[in-house]
Amino acid sequence: MERSPIAALQAEDGRPVDFEEFAAQRLPSLIRYATMLAGSRELAEDVVQDALVKAHAKWARIAAMDRPDLYVKQIVTNEFLSWRRRRRISTVALQPDIEPRGGDRPPSHDQTSADRAALWAELARLPRQQRAVLVLRFYEGLTDKEIAIVLDCSPGTVRGYGSRALAALRIELADWRDGGEEDR
Amino acid sequence: MTRSRGPRDPAELRGVFADHEVRDVDVTGLLAGVRDRIQRRRARRRTAGILAAGVATALVAAVPIVVSSIPDDDHSTTADSGTSTGSTEPTVLSLPTDGTADFDPTSTFSVGELPSDYVVEYSRNEPGVQTRIYLAPDDEQKQVVITYFDPELSGLPAPLTAPDPQTVGELEVFPMTLDTAGSEQYGLAWQPEPDRWVTVTSTGSDEPARQELLDLIPSIDVGAQELLSFPIQAGYIPEGFGLLAAYRDVQADPDEGQLRTNLVLVDQLAGQPPGGTLSIFVENDPQEPTTGARAPTTTVSGNPARYGVDPDGNQCFTVYQVEGMSYLVCASSELVGRFAEDDLRRIAAGIVVIPGAATDPSVWTDQPLP
């Protein structure tokens, strides 16, 4: 089988990673990521657990990769993208079920809160690939190249998804690259 | 949504993500869940069972499967015997002849030679809907999904289609409007008859996927139903129970297990809706059931087994490590009081896995019920 393009990226430390160790370390970030994708914590937990089961089955191969973290993120993303397709053909939009956290953030003005709630709802209505690009860029801080690896498409396609998503949300960004780090 | 304010700043997007960030992740609990799924591979069984229970409708009474008795001299492995004997000629399955035969859980639409080298990953029949998923070799992310369904019987929404159909043979085929529009997924839909739909979807960019699906359409014949085969037979089913839904899965990756099948039965004498399902699930399971929720509580012919009632009230009897398989029999909570442990034990002990079925689907049987 052809080697994953992820293997072309630089290794962080190069040592083999134990699955349990990896899962314990990465679970919080994977759950946070999947929750942003799915708009639902319950679904996110299910998606991540299913993804880790798949990762476990192939762990010998994944651990040998330079960036197992990105590959597992790719599995999580694919689980999310294929979630309903595997269960039934559906055109129902995502229904976000998590409330804004507030928490340690300073109180917002009512209008700002309403705007953010509207933006969250609009995010939920985006096509899943587009939403994934926004989450990977603006939440995860990945570069176009890294996003392309996670979504298994070209950086140009990433920019296409991203620009369409930003247009749908009426977010002004002169240069898509301004939204994250420069490509490495 | 119409908004009165002007363009947004990217910082607002980051702010929204920060607003909804999850902080309290239960790593221990989630890891336990992952371990449990790895060991038991029960996620698909749950999905199948829940889906089947959720769509149990009046259709059930119209699915009068009549199957003659299971061969009693069969060359198979059972939890009861754990040994092999000789086999007999399969008996004839009587199918209903009215319109509901289209959705009989033991038959499915015909698909001829596929234009590319796809293999069937799984077939699933539920009331009013038949689904097959084909997997592209060497590309585990690429699938072709074919679904034949009646929206009213299945509860599935009719597909959203774009205008400008294309003619394929005598069919008028419409591009589907998927909720993943703009992503690399493509779908086509047509109506073989009023109130019935066939959809085919594929991952991949639009034009190759469109052409691939157009090439595939002539090989799909929903009018030609063929018997679905299964890797197992049930030796004992409680009186009155018949098949509502069926699911079987072949995984090319040996790490994932090579077969997985689920028969969902309902009491056909119980009226409408029948309420409650009896589920028989078999899968490859190399794991030893030593601890936690898998810990054996009894044995069946020397094989470790477990009976329990889960927090939702479902009664389950599991037999582990029968020639590398796990057998699971579950009565859903709606059937409380109908079955005792010994009843489920008897069903589990009668399950038969066709010899060689884990590696060779050609030996599967179209006679899954006694």
Side-chain angles (χ1 to χ4, degrees):
Chain A
M1 180 180 286
E2 190 176 337
R3 201 173 184 212
S4 166
I6 289 169
L9 294 178
Q10 290 298 309
E12 288 179 335
D13 56 23
R15 71 181 173 87
V17 184
D18 174 72
F19 174 77
E20 286 272 339
E21 181 188 352
F22 175 90
Q25 284 178 354
R26 300 288 177 162
L27 249 173
S29 64
L30 290 173
I31 291 291
R32 282 195 288 270
Y33 167 61
T35 303
M36 294 304 166
L37 284 181
S40 157
R41 179 167 181 168
E42 183 184 5
L43 176 56
E45 291 182 351
D46 220 5
V47 162
V48 169
Q49 287 183 311
D50 274 356
L52 286 175
V53 170
K54 289 188 173 178
H56 176 266
K58 303 172 180 176
W59 188 248
R61 266 187 288 159
I62 296 173
M65 293 176 175
D66 293 334
R67 292 288 302 272
D69 58 322
L70 276 190
Y71 188 76
V72 172
K73 191 162 284 178
Q74 185 183 63
I75 299 176
V76 169
T77 307
N78 285 327
E79 280 294 303
F80 163 69
L81 293 175
S82 64
W83 186 253
R84 283 190 307 279
R85 188 183 72 226
R86 288 179 179 220
R87 281 145 183 82
R88 58 171 54 191
I89 302 296
S90 170
T91 55
V92 179
L94 287 173
Q95 297 297 320
D97 66 4
I98 51 177
E99 296 297 324
R101 185 169 52 82
D104 51 7
R105 297 182 61 78
S108 301
H109 295 298
D110 288 348
Q111 184 57 49
T112 303
S113 297
D115 288 343
R116 286 189 170 180
L119 180 52
W120 179 248
E122 288 172 50
L123 265 171
R125 286 192 287 272
L126 286 178
R128 280 174 283 177
Q129 292 268 20
Q130 292 183 24
R131 180 179 174 117
V133 166
L134 293 189
V135 172
L136 288 164
R137 166 52 57 89
F138 291 94
Y139 181 68
E140 295 284 310
L142 298 190
T143 65
D144 289 351
K145 186 190 294 181
E146 290 168 327
I147 296 171
I149 290 170
V150 171
L151 296 180
D152 195 19
C153 62
S154 69
T157 302
V158 169
R159 285 189 284 274
Y161 287 144
S163 61
R164 285 201 292 276
L166 291 177
L169 300 178
R170 295 182 304 102
I171 293 174
E172 282 200 333
L173 192 64
D175 181 351
W176 169 243
R177 288 167 182 258
D178 290 345
E181 304 166 22
E182 288 299 312
D183 285 356
R184 286 190 280 265
Chain B
M1 178 178 292
T2 304
R3 291 171 51 89
S4 57
R5 53 161 292 180
R8 294 166 168 138
D9 187 272
E12 290 185 59
L13 192 53
R14 295 190 178 92
V16 165
F17 287 139
D19 284 345
H20 293 82
E21 188 170 78
V22 172
R23 291 291 171 91
D24 53 336
V25 175
D26 174 14
V27 173
T28 303
L30 288 168
L31 264 182
V34 172
R35 291 190 199 103
D36 189 54
R37 289 180 192 216
I38 289 170
Q39 289 180 342
R40 296 160 66 199
R41 308 281 175 90
R42 289 173 67 179
R44 289 180 189 235
R45 175 191 62 79
R46 287 188 179 128
T47 302
I50 291 166
L51 275 175
V55 297
T57 66
L59 179 70
V60 174
V63 189
I65 304 297
V66 182
V67 189
S68 57
S69 62
I70 193 170
D72 58 8
D73 188 22
D74 147 272
H75 185 77
S76 309
T77 301
T78 70
D80 211 16
S81 67
T83 59
S84 296
T85 58
S87 74
T88 62
E89 206 54 35
T91 48
V92 176
L93 179 69
S94 300
L95 293 172
T97 54
D98 61 20
T100 58
D102 291 358
F103 294 108
D104 187 284
T106 61
S107 65
T108 187
F109 53 80
S110 167
V111 179
E113 190 82 11
L114 292 178
S116 54
D117 202 15
Y118 283 89
V119 294
V120 64
E121 184 190 31
Y122 77 67
S123 297
R124 173 184 233 140
N125 283 6
E126 296 167 57
V129 57
Q130 299 173 346
T131 304
R132 282 200 215 180
I133 293 184
Y134 290 84
L135 200 63
D138 301 325
D139 184 356
E140 64 193 29
Q141 305 302 339
K142 184 168 184 180
Q143 296 175 323
V144 169
V145 183
I146 306 173
T147 306
Y148 171 45
F149 67 105
D150 180 319
E152 186 177 346
L153 292 176
S154 67
L156 295 176
L160 297 177
T161 55
D164 304 324
Q166 181 166 348
T167 300
V168 179
E170 296 179 350
L171 300 172
E172 200 171 46
V173 179
F174 295 83
M176 286 173 67
T177 305
L178 299 171
D179 63 345
T180 52
S183 70
E184 292 187 340
Q185 197 180 147
Y186 191 79
L188 295 170
W190 67 95
Q191 289 193 273
E193 56 186 293
D195 303 324
R196 299 278 172 90
W197 283 94
V198 180
T199 63
V200 289
T201 62
S202 174
T203 46
S205 54
D206 277 10
E207 181 51 34
R210 188 183 74 90
Q211 193 54 53
E212 181 178 43
L213 296 185
L214 286 171
D215 291 344
L216 174 64
I217 285 172
S219 65
I220 301 172
D221 184 357
V222 296
Q225 294 277 304
E226 56 189 37
L227 287 179
L228 202 58
S229 60
F230 298 89
I232 67 167
Q233 291 174 303
Y236 165 70
I237 296 296
E239 187 177 353
F241 275 77
L243 207 53
L244 169 73
Y247 158 87
R248 89 270 170 86
D249 184 355
V250 186
Q251 292 285 344
D253 184 347
D255 291 335
E256 293 276 346
Q258 290 165 317
L259 73 83
R260 185 180 288 114
T261 193
N262 191 192
L263 304 177
V264 181
L265 303 105
V266 291
D267 186 349
Q268 295 179 321
L269 307 176
Q272 302 174 0
T277 58
L278 186 61
S279 177
I280 297 174
F281 181 79
V282 172
E283 70 171 344
N284 289 89
D285 185 7
Q287 303 293 326
E288 287 193 27
T290 52
T291 59
R294 285 171 56 88
T297 57
T298 182
T299 61
V300 174
S301 297
N303 297 111
R306 176 185 178 83
Y307 171 75
V309 181
D310 71 17
D312 296 327
N314 304 307
Q315 298 169 268
C316 291
F317 192 96
T318 312
V319 186
Y320 299 109
Q321 295 181 313
V322 188
E323 308 271 320
M325 303 283 170
S326 280
Y327 301 173
L328 179 68
V329 177
C330 281
S332 67
S333 58
E334 296 87 345
L335 294 172
V336 64
R338 290 285 300 275
F339 299 110
E341 175 180 349
D342 282 349
D343 298 315
L344 301 186
R345 171 191 289 269
R346 184 179 173 192
I347 298 170
I351 294 171
V352 174
V353 175
I354 310 295
T359 54
D360 181 12
S362 71
V363 303
W364 292 10
T365 180
D366 53 17
Q367 303 290 306
L369 298 184

